[in-house]
Each structure stands twice: as structure tokens, then as C-alpha cells.
Amino acid sequence: MRATTLALALLASPALAVQPDEILSDPVLEARARALSQDLRCLVCRNENIDDSDADLARDLRLLLRERLVAGDTDAQAVTFIVDRYGEYVLLNPTTKGANLVLWIAGPLMLLIGGAGAFAYLRRRKGAEPAAPLTAEEEKRLAEILSE
């Protein structure tokens, strides 16, 4: 029973979309290509790397990456070539430089600003004076209103 469950679980795991005709004959280059493609986003599937995507554009990116590696590019050069062509959105883990720095800082900054605002509001509210008790005349008027 357990062996069957294990076999079914392994069969249910996602298969890589890399086609046999894409695989490089040099195992070292292929290993580099696989490692690099884990950090490249499929522009069609959004948050899926190009190795796991069946989209035609992902296939084109896999082939382009392998072409650059076969041409002698370093890992950084190959990724830079793809980023220059498709933009930083192709990176699953964007850089923390330039305009992206604003995006990286904005979330924590907004959290701090919201927390400071909430703290100031609660502190001001806690320090407010309690309402003065009703005078005898006000209590009499209130009783009249409630009895109507």
C-alpha cells in the first residue's frame, strides 16, 4: 500500500518541460543551463521558471540560453543577454538596484508608516480626557427624552 502511494506521488510530480532536442550533449553545459533556467521566469506563465513551462516562449528562452552557453558566454553574460533582450521581469528574483530598489523598500516602509500611525492614534486616544458626568439638569432632560 505504501509503495503504491509513493509511486503515485512520484508520478504526480511536475515533469520538466525541457524537450529532448533541447538538451545539450555536454553534460557540464547542460547542468549550467538547467541551473540558470531555474532563475528565469516564463513570460507567458508568470511565476513559473522556463524549465517547468511548456509555453513556446519558454522553449525559445531555453534554446537562447543554451546557444549563449555554447557560444562561450559565462553564466552572468548569458543571463545579462536575456535580461537585456526581455527586461528584468524575466528574472524570478529581481535585482535590488535602480528602480527595483523603490519596490523592495516600499513594502517595509509602508508597514513602518502604518505602524507609527496606529501607535500615534492609540496613544492620543488613550490620553484623551474622559467625558464629564452629566449635570442634574442634563440627567432630567435625558430621562424626559427616554420616557417619550
Side-chain angles (χ1 to χ4, degrees), residues 42-99:
C42 172
L43 299 172
V44 176
C45 306
R46 306 286 171 134
N47 287 328
E48 191 172 26
N49 66 47
I50 61 174
D51 257 6
D52 294 338
S53 175
D54 286 327
D56 291 336
L57 183 57
R59 176 181 166 81
D60 293 343
L61 285 169
R62 289 191 301 263
L63 291 172
L64 181 60
L65 177 65
R66 283 166 172 75
E67 284 175 16
R68 300 307 307 169
L69 293 177
V70 169
D73 284 2
T74 64
D75 292 356
Q77 289 171 329
V79 170
T80 300
F81 180 83
I82 292 173
V83 169
D84 288 345
R85 183 174 266 190
Y86 293 97
E88 279 195 32
Y89 184 73
V90 77
L91 297 174
L92 276 172
N93 297 314
T95 61
T96 55
K97 294 182 267 183

Side-chain angles (χ1 to χ4, degrees), residues 131-144:
L134 296 177
T135 63
E137 185 178 307
E138 290 171 336
E139 285 183 21
K140 183 179 174 185
R141 176 71 181 130
L142 180 60
E144 287 174 12

